[in-house]
Amino acid sequence: KLFNQVQEAKGNIRVFCRCRPLSKSEALAGCSMVVDFDAANDGELGILNGGSMKKTFKFDRVYTPKDDQVDVFADASPMVTSVLDGYNVCIFAYGQTGTGKTFTMEGTVEKRGVNYRTLEELFKIANERSENFTYKISVSVLEVYNEQIRDLLDASSASKKLEIKQASEGFHHIPGIVEAEVENIKEVWDVLQAGSSARAVGSNNVNEHSSRSHCMLCVMVRAKNMINGECTKSKLWLVDLAGSERLAKTDVQGDRLKEAQNINRSLSALGDVISALANKSSHIPYRNSKLTHLLQDSLGGDSKTLMFVQISPSEKDLSETLSSLNFATRVR
Ligand code: ADP
Ligand code: MG
């Protein structure tokens, strides 16, 4: 409730910043930390640039490396209620490779992330409301790589050309994509696992491949109010974006160059869309990338957007950290 009130007062875009801990190897190598969390409770983050100079950034939330998956989800969960109330929602993680995007969204088996917890909460609230509402929930899992959509729930999809179409009632959809109907969280887990393993197929290095593609979960919720017969449809996107790091100079050729340009273009398109929305611009350039075109229903209008900007605490990543923080500030 409070979140929704705050949301109305402040617009529909929230930005949460999460910093991962120093890794073991960074700690062993004596890497210094450049992030200061003294005012984290006030949503402020300090960056120590060159010893004493400090630049501060303000977000709706700042998580320190000590905050865990439960802390993070506690702040994201009001979005879940919104989905069942009929709003479209988009939650995504942005940042350099290795900063914890996948950790935040997917998590690990022991420390499950936002994707799993969100669906768990969806089923929990749907059950609580089951006297007055019926819900149908379905999940699609896809990947966008080099501006091409791949259905991760369909083994034959490599040979299919998947395109985005707009249905008469306005919703965007991808004809032919698998929408797996799920009735409980166990079935969701199976679908998520199937999606993950499909990602590995055809790539010789899974981590590398996944850092260069956008991994996207689309959850459709169809609700029927049994008292007045009203039906609503809402769409929730959960997105683990490709790494935002700039290309090393030594890598600027061939396939790597093409990949990097596509990632660059789609991430800037995302930034452009969100900042156009934040500035109440009359033209929102959704069509500039597959990513923004796919997310169109859940970005803007009365939909709610939550961005996790993921950062590293380490001095060696300072320039990428500043670039991510600037991106996140621009969209806020
Ligand atoms: P990305 O998806 O952005 O490339 P990952 O999610 O793969 O990054 O994270 C890189 C490594 O850091 C992984 O080993 C992950 O488990 C670890 N990590 C990231 N964030 C955290 C965190 N908040 N707490 C503990 N470990 C983390
Ligand atoms: Mg990742």
Side-chain angles (χ1 to χ4, degrees):
K1 280 280 160 11
L2 180 64
F3 181 89
N4 286 333
Q5 280 162 18
V6 171
Q7 184 109 22
E8 265 159 44
K10 290 182 63 188
N12 291 323
I13 302 168
R14 297 285 84 118
V15 182
F16 294 175
C17 180
R18 189 177 197 187
C19 182
R20 68 159 168 80
L22 271 184
S23 68
K24 281 212 180 73
S25 62
E26 285 168 337
L28 280 173
C31 255
S32 63
M33 296 252 299
V34 290
V35 187
D36 171 293
F37 296 101
D38 284 352
N41 284 336
D42 303 321
E44 260 177 49
L45 182 99
I47 296 292
L48 310 166
N49 195 349
S52 59
M53 198 178 71
K54 191 161 127 182
K55 199 169 181 322
T56 61
F57 293 86
K58 191 146 173 48
F59 297 107
D60 298 294
R61 282 276 186 287
V62 168
Y63 299 105
T64 75
K66 291 202 185 76
D67 290 316
D68 63 18
Q69 305 288 59
V70 175
D71 300 317
V72 169
F73 186 69
D75 297 320
S77 70
M79 299 290 244
V80 182
T81 316
S82 293
V83 176
L84 292 174
D85 289 338
Y87 291 93
N88 296 332
V89 167
C90 175
I91 303 178
F92 65 87
Y94 177 98
Q96 174 189 9
T97 297
T99 53
K101 294 181 299 298
T102 303
F103 186 78
T104 292
M105 300 307 293
E106 233 173 77
T108 62
V109 175
E110 297 81 38
K111 298 178 176 175
R112 296 192 182 176
V114 167
N115 294 351
Y116 181 86
R117 289 170 198 270
T118 295
L119 279 139
E120 188 178 47
E121 180 85 358
L122 268 183
F123 281 108
K124 190 179 135 233
I125 305 174
N127 273 331
E128 287 166 8
R129 295 183 177 183
S130 64
E131 263 187 41
N132 300 326
F133 291 89
T134 55
Y135 291 101
K136 269 201 172 127
I137 300 177
S138 66
V139 182
S140 302
V141 189
L142 52 120
E143 176 185 78
V144 176
Y145 174 70
N146 276 341
E147 289 299 281
Q148 288 195 341
I149 301 168
R150 185 155 80 106
D151 184 349
L152 295 182
L153 298 183
D154 179 0
S156 68
S157 94
S159 54
K160 266 200 254 168
K161 194 145 175 57
L162 295 170
E163 295 294 349
I164 306 162
K165 295 268 152 46
Q166 193 166 5
S168 49
E169 85 272 33
F171 258 66
H172 289 77
H173 65 120
I174 307 165
I177 200 153
V178 173
E179 284 191 35
E181 237 184 76
V182 284
E183 303 213 322
N184 54 53
I185 191 64
K186 163 79 176 62
E187 290 179 10
V188 169
W189 181 248
D190 294 343
V191 169
L192 296 184
Q193 295 298 100
S196 288
S197 41
R199 250 193 137 180
V201 174
S203 53
N204 38 19
N205 183 330
V206 183
N207 282 334
E208 252 182 41
H209 176 75
S210 59
S211 71
R212 292 170 195 165
S213 59
H214 308 301
C215 184
M216 311 178 66
L217 268 181
C218 182
V219 182
M220 285 295 309
V221 177
R222 293 174 175 87
K224 181 169 183 185
N225 180 327
M226 296 193 306
I227 296 157
N228 62 16
E230 194 185 66
C231 292
T232 58
K233 193 158 107 171
S234 38
K235 191 188 266 187
L236 162 69
W237 278 108
L238 297 159
V239 183
D240 181 357
L241 291 170
S244 61
E245 61 275 8
R246 283 152 297 183
L247 194 65
K249 292 231 165 43
T250 48
D251 256 345
V252 284
Q253 43 187 304
D255 290 348
R256 275 300 275 131
L257 177 62
K258 187 177 162 210
E259 267 175 1
Q261 287 170 333
N262 280 318
I263 294 168
N264 225 321
R265 207 172 296 142
S266 58
L267 293 178
S268 352
L270 180 64
D272 293 343
V273 163
I274 299 179
S275 67
L277 289 168
N279 296 324
K280 307 212 174 348
S281 170
S282 59
H283 174 70
I284 314 294
Y286 291 110
R287 297 293 180 96
N288 287 353
S289 72
K290 285 277 181 344
L291 176 69
T292 48
H293 197 178
L294 279 167
L295 296 179
Q296 181 161 353
D297 300 323
S298 300
L299 290 175
D302 65 358
S303 58
K304 298 172 195 244
T305 304
L306 170 57
M307 165 176 175
F308 284 100
V309 53
Q310 300 279 153
I311 59 168
S312 150
S314 166
E315 179 162 35
K316 72 177 185 349
D317 294 320
L318 180 59
S319 75
E320 289 299 338
T321 297
L322 286 170
S323 133
S324 295
L325 293 170
N326 286 325
F327 178 92
T329 303
R330 181 176 156 237
V331 304
R332 205 169 161 261

